[in-house]
Amino acid sequence: MVSTQIPKLDCGLQYLPASPDLAPNQILLPLTAAVNAQDGLDIGGCEVTTLVQQYGSPLYILDETTLRAACRHYRDAFIQYYPGPSQVLYASKAWSCLAVCAIAASEGLGFDVVSGGELVTAIRALEELGRPHPGPLIYFHGNNKAKSELELALAQGCTVVVDNWLELTTLADLAAQQGTVAPILLRFTPGIDCHTHEYIRTGHLDNKFGFDPNQLDPVFSFVSQQPQLNCLGLHAHNGSQIFELQPHRDLAATLIEWLGKAAHYGLSLGQLNIGGGLGIRYVASDDPPAIADWVKAVAQAVVAACQSQNLPLPKLLAEPGRSLIGSACVTAYTIGSRKSVPEIRTYLAVDGGMSDNPRPITYQAAYQAVVANRLSAPMAETVTIAGKHCESGDILIKDARLPHTEPGDILVVLGTGAYNYSMSSNYNRLTRPAAIAVREGEANLILERETYEDLLRQDRLPERLLAQP
Ligand code: LLP
């Protein structure tokens, strides 16, 4: 199949051809996207329409090349801009499954996990890759970890990112009972405001995560007296889908100041985890900084703050999610019914919606789409892409510019790698789509499509409900 680079089409939608100047978080289409001889979209050397015929619709299509490139951008930028040791962790909440975790791990990344489920997924992926004691690569987050989750993390040798007093005391007790020492980071709320959706801001003081900074002294004092806790360092996270660099510089400086404070309690903290949060381009008008620029800003801020406080450089950890995987995946849907409300709006419905991508209804998130089998057809209309759920708000894209389409055409929504599968549901008892990874003309299933049997598997029907009332 002869493929060429996607041209910049004169059709309203600005395609961004993969350019060496753009980082993986700045592209709309995955890096390997190309237009084939049938005017169709190829990703990873595979024809999207053929993939849909083979694997069904809707379908998450993960471009392995883009995901690996993003991992390398982070890794290489830390090596280039940070003179001390560093480790990139994949925030697996963005998309936790064995294949994605295996790809991230094979690129040298560790993991940020926030539940027992994410923890076992990361561990299994690492074990499958032949890493028998993967614990030290895993950082366990969460504002209300269950005791059983803490036990699991301890048993695996993961670092627990402690969020609050209850967790601190529970963990100290558990470690004492098990006769071990728990490696921990302490999470603090940095008190930094960022411009992003209210639900995904976490740096400002009024939020549920982490110790309030007014707790620094009592927490440091407590931890310094706990032989069962080995405090390795500090953590904070500003929020998500952030395009500004300054909040991340501020965060780095604040955390270094707190490292200095910890030293007064005899705690020599060698790790600093500055969270994630770098945004991606969902629509052409988004303009996030490149991964390397984000890393450079953070690294320079840490180095400068350490110099001014006369502190040694800590091991610098970052835990990006969205900017690693967001642009690497698209969702292919089949176009179905159409409803035109004269002079108001035309709705074009697809065979998925808020169950496979809850971000538009939850955060009013904007997306862009192309028609995979009519790639260079001229734009003919403005339509609203509706999902198939029994809910008026189930709209994937408002006012999308599309060419003329027919039922059965394949609509490809871009940038669906982060927080789509991981936030998917069975609302209306829809089955979750399959996901495939594509690379160099090969496609492999990474998540089976759910079946009706899968939906019914957890159901129980007590005998007494079958008896006549
Ligand atoms: N570290 C911590 C402690 C976090 O809470 C998060 C995201 C990350 C790292 C990764 O952030 P990222 O690099 O992906 O921005 N469901 C929302 C996003 C929630 C983010 C939760 N925490 C969405 O779909 O936009």
Side-chain angles (χ1 to χ4, degrees):
M1 193 183 310
V2 185
S3 288
T4 54
Q5 203 61 248
I6 297 246
K8 213 167 188 176
L9 300 171
D10 181 24
C11 55
L13 172 62
Q14 294 295 302
Y15 288 92
L16 293 170
S19 136
D21 301 334
L22 292 176
N25 68 317
Q26 296 177 308
I27 53 177
L28 267 180
L29 286 153
L31 282 172
T32 62
V35 59
N36 61 39
Q38 290 75 46
D39 194 30
L41 177 64
D42 285 357
I43 297 178
C46 300
E47 210 170 17
V48 168
T49 49
T50 309
L51 293 174
V52 172
Q53 280 161 19
Q54 280 175 352
Y55 294 95
S57 175
L59 183 65
Y60 296 112
I61 302 173
L62 174 67
D63 182 37
E64 198 182 319
T65 305
T66 305
L67 174 55
R68 288 188 185 278
C71 294
R72 289 172 199 171
H73 275 242
Y74 267 106
R75 223 184 42 203
D76 296 349
F78 271 103
I79 291 168
Q80 184 176 356
Y81 296 115
Y82 191 64
S86 58
Q87 176 67 53
V88 183
L89 311 171
Y90 167 53
S92 65
K93 69 206 80 183
W95 187 348
S96 172
C97 69
L98 289 178
V100 167
C101 289
I103 294 171
S106 71
E107 292 296 336
L109 272 58
F111 294 94
D112 146 3
V113 301
V114 293
S115 68
E118 286 185 5
L119 177 57
V120 298
T121 306
I123 285 175
R124 180 72 62 81
L126 285 158
E127 282 173 354
E128 294 283 340
L129 285 169
R131 319 250 183 100
H133 304 293
L137 275 174
I138 302 176
Y139 288 71
F140 189 23
H141 286 270
N143 67 316
N144 191 21
K145 302 174 186 83
K147 210 168 154 194
S148 57
E149 290 177 317
L150 290 173
E151 281 166 349
L152 182 61
L154 264 185
Q156 292 292 336
C158 306
T159 302
V160 177
V161 185
V162 177
D163 191 271
N164 53 62
W165 279 107
L166 175 65
E167 188 182 340
L168 203 52
T169 50
T170 308
L171 195 61
D173 289 348
L174 280 177
Q177 281 160 25
Q178 295 187 9
T180 88
V181 173
I184 63 167
L185 297 186
L186 295 167
R187 177 171 185 169
F188 284 93
T189 316
I192 293 169
D193 248 327
C194 297
H195 293 113
T196 189
H197 192 281
E198 183 191 349
Y199 294 175
I200 53 178
R201 280 159 69 210
T202 45
H204 59 302
L205 289 175
D206 180 8
N207 91 82
K208 69 174 184 168
F209 294 106
F211 291 98
D212 189 272
N214 70 15
Q215 297 293 298
L216 279 163
D217 287 304
V219 170
F220 288 157
S221 166
F222 178 84
V223 168
S224 66
Q225 291 161 41
Q226 293 294 316
Q228 245 63 54
L229 300 177
N230 178 17
C231 187
L232 303 172
L234 303 181
H235 169 278
H237 171 70
N238 269 339
S240 205
Q241 184 61 1
I242 295 168
F243 288 180
E244 306 150 284
L245 292 176
Q246 195 53 39
H248 298 284
R249 293 192 188 98
D250 295 346
L251 179 66
T254 304
L255 281 168
I256 295 290
E257 195 187 312
W258 292 344
L259 277 192
K261 204 173 175 107
H264 300 316
Y265 291 86
L267 294 167
S268 87
L269 306 184
Q271 291 193 15
L272 202 65
N273 184 333
I274 38 119
L278 172 61
I280 69 166
R281 174 172 266 130
Y282 283 107
V283 294
S285 56
D286 286 337
D287 191 16
I291 290 171
D293 290 335
W294 186 88
V295 172
K296 185 178 174 187
V298 167
Q300 287 180 342
V302 170
V303 171
C306 284
Q307 273 167 0
S308 80
Q309 304 225 19
N310 213 5
L311 287 171
L313 288 181
K315 178 172 181 176
L316 188 52
L317 308 170
E319 46 191 27
R322 189 191 315 267
S323 51
L324 283 169
I325 199 160
S327 314
C329 182
V330 301
T331 308
Y333 301 92
T334 303
I335 291 175
S337 64
R338 168 187 288 263
K339 173 181 178 179
S340 289
V341 188
E343 285 163 41
I344 297 184
R345 188 177 295 283
T346 296
Y347 291 95
L348 200 56
V350 295
D351 53 352
M354 60 185 283
S355 57
D356 61 76
N357 183 359
R359 297 196 70 258
I361 197 167
T362 313
Y363 316 112
Q364 299 77 49
Y367 282 88
Q368 229 163 311
V370 297
V371 180
N373 53 313
R374 299 175 193 266
L375 219 41
S376 53
M379 294 293 148
E381 57 180 353
T382 300
V383 293
T384 286
I385 311 292
K388 64 173 284 168
H389 290 273
C390 238
E391 180 132 346
S392 301
D394 176 28
I395 300 295
L396 286 177
I397 306 179
K398 272 202 182 122
D399 299 331
R401 289 289 295 158
L402 287 190
H404 167 76
T405 57
E406 296 284 340
D409 283 348
I410 303 301
L411 185 88
V412 171
V413 175
L414 310 176
T416 58
Y419 306 107
N420 273 227
Y421 175 79
S422 63
M423 291 174 66
S424 63
S425 75
N426 292 123
Y427 182 43
N428 294 155
R429 287 232 138 170
L430 263 69
T431 51
R432 283 189 182 76
I436 53 167
V438 291
R439 185 186 181 181
E440 292 174 7
E442 211 182 300
N444 300 100
L445 196 59
I446 60 170
L447 285 159
E448 292 268 6
R449 183 175 303 283
E450 285 178 346
T451 63
Y452 292 148
E453 268 316 301
D454 291 328
L455 294 179
L456 293 169
R457 179 162 303 130
Q458 305 300 113
D459 283 23
R460 296 294 177 270
L461 194 49
E463 280 294 319
R464 118 184 126 65
L465 296 182
L466 301 173
Q468 293 302 320

